[in-house]
Amino acid sequence: MRNPRIATPIITWLRQRRRTRRIASVCTGIYALGASGLLDGRVATTHWRFAADVGRRFTAISLKPDAIYLQDRNVFTSAGVTAGIDLALSLVESDLGGRVALRVARELVVYLKRPGGQMQFSEPLRFQTRAADRFAALATFIVTNLHKDLSVEVLAERAGLSVRQFCRRFAAVFNVPPGAYVEQMRLDESRKRLFAAERTVESVAASVGFASADSFRRAFVRRFGIAPSQFAKRFR
């Protein structure tokens, strides 16, 4: 779509589809949408790698390069290929309901959907990007073992450092204590589990490693400003 010779016939076709119920682009498809004028005065997103160039070429677009996907009236834009899957699932859910979208998601072996405004970079990916040497594998270990003991002592031993050294180096690199990071990962995962399945608060709390449902509720409210049971009712 960045090649004008390829994009020109598509742009012409798009300009004839202004009254289409929905128009969506994935990744660099935004170049054709932008050139067609369909995004003028609208909010949109694209793959982070191309965001600066899109912003320079199409100044009438209000670009939000961090989002996974966005909707502005009848036009949808998304980041990379996997973000296109998230967008497609949201459209299936809108048309056919959550149960159908869940069945499709299971076929694709993905979560039901990530919220459109969610950041393109997950916290574990940000962690891994900034990590070096013995810290590099910790993000994966943490998010794949949330139900296990992830105390500072366990993580320090895994990193091959004393507890004091580990805490100091972790905080220096990531600007957050290891305990706070683990809690954040557990709470973020708990939202997905509350959203994607009809599970009790107690079972979700246990599945992500909280010692009790009460401690989970308190942490959830502190982080998101809403009780997990209310979150589940509102967003399922």
Side-chain angles (χ1 to χ4, degrees), residues 218-229:
R218 289 194 298 271
F220 198 96
V221 171
R222 186 171 61 249
R223 176 81 190 281
F224 302 119
I226 185 175
S229 58

Side-chain angles (χ1 to χ4, degrees), residues 26 68-69 78 80-92 104-105 108 110-114:
V26 177
I68 293 175
Y69 64 85
S78 64
V81 174
T82 54
I85 295 173
D86 290 307
L87 172 55
L89 285 171
S90 76
L91 297 178
V92 170
V104 175
L108 298 175
V110 296
Y111 286 117
L112 173 57
K113 75 181 186 74
R114 294 178 292 178

Side-chain angles (χ1 to χ4, degrees), residues 34-230:
S36 73
L38 290 172
L39 286 175
D40 288 0
R42 303 195 189 210
V43 177
T45 190
T46 187
H47 192 289
W48 62 269
R49 187 181 298 278
F50 305 103
D53 184 51
V54 169
R56 285 192 296 268
R57 290 199 193 191
F58 309 110
T59 56
I61 299 175
S62 178
L63 200 65
K64 293 190 176 181
D66 285 337
I68 293 175
Y69 64 85
L70 292 173
Q71 174 187 1
D72 192 323
R73 287 164 281 176
N74 68 324
V75 180
F76 299 75
T77 52
S78 64
V81 174
T82 54
I85 295 173
D86 290 307
L87 172 55
L89 285 171
S90 76
L91 297 178
V92 170
E93 184 179 27
S94 176
D95 286 350
L96 302 173
R99 291 187 182 277
V100 174
L102 180 55
R103 289 202 297 271
V104 175
R106 284 173 176 165
E107 287 293 321
L108 298 175
V109 197
V110 296
Y111 286 117
L112 173 57
K113 75 181 186 74
R114 294 178 292 178
Q118 187 172 315
M119 299 284 282
Q120 290 186 30
F121 297 107
S122 66
E123 285 302 321
L125 181 57
R126 290 178 181 273
F127 184 103
Q128 288 174 314
T129 301
R130 297 176 63 184
D133 57 75
R134 68 190 75 198
F135 285 106
L138 270 180
T140 300
F141 175 76
I142 290 171
V143 298
T144 55
N145 292 277
L146 292 173
H147 61 293
K148 296 181 180 179
D149 180 5
L150 296 176
S151 63
V152 172
E153 291 77 13
V154 168
L155 297 178
E157 182 178 358
R158 190 169 186 84
L161 296 167
S162 70
V163 171
R164 180 177 296 180
Q165 288 175 317
F166 174 74
C167 290
R168 184 173 63 249
R169 289 188 55 180
F170 191 101
V173 174
F174 304 110
N175 300 316
V176 63
Y181 181 83
V182 169
E183 181 179 274
Q184 180 179 330
M185 294 300 98
R186 283 174 166 157
L187 291 172
D188 285 347
E189 178 62 25
S190 74
R191 284 194 304 177
K192 299 172 186 175
R193 298 185 186 190
L194 286 167
F195 178 85
E198 294 183 2
R199 301 174 63 175
T200 65
V201 170
E202 289 75 14
S203 67
V204 170
S207 73
V208 295
F210 279 89
S212 70
D214 285 341
S215 63
F216 170 59
R217 288 188 185 95
R218 289 194 298 271
F220 198 96
V221 171
R222 186 171 61 249
R223 176 81 190 281
F224 302 119
I226 185 175
S229 58
Q230 292 175 313

Side-chain angles (χ1 to χ4, degrees), residues 12-23:
T12 301
W13 183 85
L14 284 170
R15 285 173 176 160
Q16 298 169 356
R17 299 297 184 279
R18 289 182 178 274
R19 294 186 180 181
T20 299
R21 184 166 74 95
R22 286 192 301 223
I23 300 175

